[in-house]
Amino acid sequence: MGQTTQSVHDTFGEQLPNSLVAVMDIMGFSSVLEQNPNCLDLLTLGTGVVACMTSAKHGRNYIGKVDLKKLGLTHSTIEKAKLRIVVFQFSDTVVFALPKTSPCCMEDAVAFFDTVAWAVSTFLDRGLPVQCQIEFGNSWINRANNLFLGIPFLAAHQKASNLGFSGIVISDAAMNAICKTNADPPGIDLAFQRKLCRYVGVERISVPSKNGKYDPSYCLDWLRFRYGGGEEVDRQYLVEQFTAFSKSLSDSVIKKIENTEWLIQQFRAHAKRFQEEEQLLEAARIPIQQGKASTTKKRITSTKQNKSKQTRRRKTQSKSK
């Protein structure tokens, strides 16, 4: 008998063409292992990682403050797209991949961002802050042997480990692929890109690296995908999570906490500005709608009056005859 498609994939692996690939590195993981050498501590740590992975793979998020209606999406379309996401883990590195079906596919982008943001949030809650980089390209996987190969993985792993904060960065190549049109030659759908920025929380921000340099990058506001919008994430919360599992509060850790807090403040400022702009647009839209309704009502009234006058005129003419 011939092998099934699944068995062939299990034996030889499978291609993931044109895929979004996110690589998450747990910050200070080696320090955690050094500070927790006994088996009981390692069991606690391992249980926490497994819980995070389970949540990332199977958890259903509330989508936080992301307005799906504005994007023309529903929870069911997001959950359907999530079923295609594959997840791998190698020690302190977690990989998410989603084969891209078509250009400007909003449900794919939101489903992938939601899964990655949810994972970042869950790991942080467990005292395991992560650095995450999203890339795009062709990959090869073997699920049975937990193998993941490809240039996107290498690029994302290298860039994620160089970030000077906990959060999510989207490469220009990945952003361009997400927003690419079907036109010939292909271009960038700017309207689609604006929707991602306004309603999903993708921001162009100069972010700090480990060497202190600031590079303009697309960042994902993971707080928008957090239940309640992450209002409880403040300086004290970050210090507690960054120093969990007996991690020391060194100068480098303090700097990463400060960078993370600064980035969160940028996200909140942008979200507030967009909300105010939406309120102004809505306030301007109401008088226009009221004006249109009033004009329509006047037209209907005028039409009725004209018809009434014509009816009376015909009756008068009929009587005079």
Side-chain angles (χ1 to χ4, degrees):
M1 293 178 66
Q3 287 182 302
T4 64
T5 302
Q6 186 60 51
S7 65
V8 170
H9 285 171
D10 290 343
T11 304
F12 301 107
E14 58 188 287
Q15 298 284 344
L16 293 183
N18 300 325
S19 301
L20 288 170
V21 176
V23 174
M24 285 184 359
D25 272 345
I26 299 176
M27 302 171 73
F29 197 72
S30 58
S31 175
V32 171
L33 295 179
E34 291 169 2
Q35 296 294 330
N36 299 273
N38 68 65
C39 291
L40 184 59
D41 289 338
L42 289 177
L43 176 62
T44 303
L45 175 61
T47 302
V49 173
V50 170
C52 292
M53 290 301 299
T54 302
S55 177
K57 287 181 180 179
H58 308 294
R60 291 175 179 268
N61 194 7
Y62 294 91
I63 311 291
K65 291 187 175 181
V66 176
D67 193 338
L68 294 182
K69 189 176 180 181
K70 295 276 189 182
L71 300 170
L73 301 176
T74 64
H75 281 272
S76 61
T77 58
I78 297 299
E79 294 301 330
K80 187 176 179 180
K82 281 185 182 182
L83 295 176
R84 298 178 13 251
I85 297 175
V86 294
V87 187
F88 292 83
Q89 183 180 6
F90 323 95
S91 184
D92 62 340
T93 300
V94 183
V95 182
F96 299 89
L98 173 64
K100 192 166 181 289
T101 54
S102 60
C104 294
C105 185
M106 186 63 78
E107 54 261 40
D108 277 6
V110 175
F112 193 70
F113 290 161
D114 177 48
T115 299
V116 175
W118 183 246
V120 168
S121 180
T122 304
F123 270 89
L124 186 61
D125 284 341
R126 290 273 181 170
L128 298 167
V130 299
Q131 302 158 304
C132 181
Q133 176 80 26
I134 297 177
E135 293 287 336
F136 179 85
N138 299 324
S139 301
W140 177 89
I141 64 171
N142 184 300
R143 301 172 193 257
N145 295 298
N146 204 43
L147 295 175
F148 193 103
L149 303 175
I151 295 298
F153 168 74
L154 294 176
H157 187 272
Q158 181 182 20
K159 292 177 183 177
S161 62
N162 193 44
L163 297 177
F165 59 94
S166 177
I168 305 168
V169 172
I170 308 166
S171 72
D172 287 0
M175 191 64 177
N176 289 340
I178 291 170
C179 302
K180 187 172 68 175
T181 66
N182 273 319
D184 187 20
I188 302 300
D189 188 330
L190 296 179
F192 184 89
Q193 190 179 70
R194 282 193 294 271
K195 276 190 174 183
L196 284 178
C197 293
R198 183 174 290 274
Y199 301 118
V200 181
V202 177
E203 303 287 350
R204 186 75 171 175
I205 301 174
S206 290
V207 295
S209 59
K210 281 184 178 178
N211 60 17
K213 285 186 177 181
Y214 283 74
D215 301 312
S217 306
Y218 289 106
C219 296
L220 179 64
D221 180 2
W222 54 273
L223 290 173
R224 289 206 193 187
F225 295 85
R226 188 179 172 92
Y227 181 63
E231 297 298 333
E232 75 286 358
V233 179
D234 54 15
R235 179 63 173 268
Q236 181 180 349
Y237 169 86
L238 291 174
V239 170
E240 290 173 356
Q241 305 314 313
F242 270 78
T243 57
F245 298 103
S246 304
K247 293 193 291 283
S248 61
L249 192 62
S250 62
D251 290 342
S252 62
V253 171
I254 291 174
K255 187 61 179 176
K256 289 174 183 176
I257 291 173
E258 290 174 348
N259 290 340
T260 302
E261 183 184 28
W262 173 83
L263 190 60
I264 288 173
Q265 290 171 349
Q266 301 303 305
F267 288 147
R268 285 175 173 159
H270 290 171
K272 183 180 179 182
R273 187 180 74 246
F274 286 141
Q275 185 179 15
E276 290 173 349
E277 288 176 359
E278 285 292 304
Q279 290 172 346
L280 288 173
L281 288 171
E282 187 62 29
R285 198 177 293 122
I286 291 173
I288 293 173
Q289 292 173 343
Q290 290 176 340
K292 287 182 178 179
S294 177
T295 302
T296 302
K297 186 177 180 181
K298 287 179 179 178
R299 286 175 179 172
I300 292 173
T301 303
S302 178
T303 301
K304 287 182 177 179
Q305 290 174 345
N306 289 336
K307 285 184 178 180
S308 178
K309 288 179 180 179
Q310 290 174 359
T311 301
R312 288 198 300 271
R313 191 180 298 115
R314 283 197 295 269
K315 286 182 178 180
T316 303
Q317 292 175 347
S318 177
K319 287 180 180 179
S320 61
K321 289 179 180 179

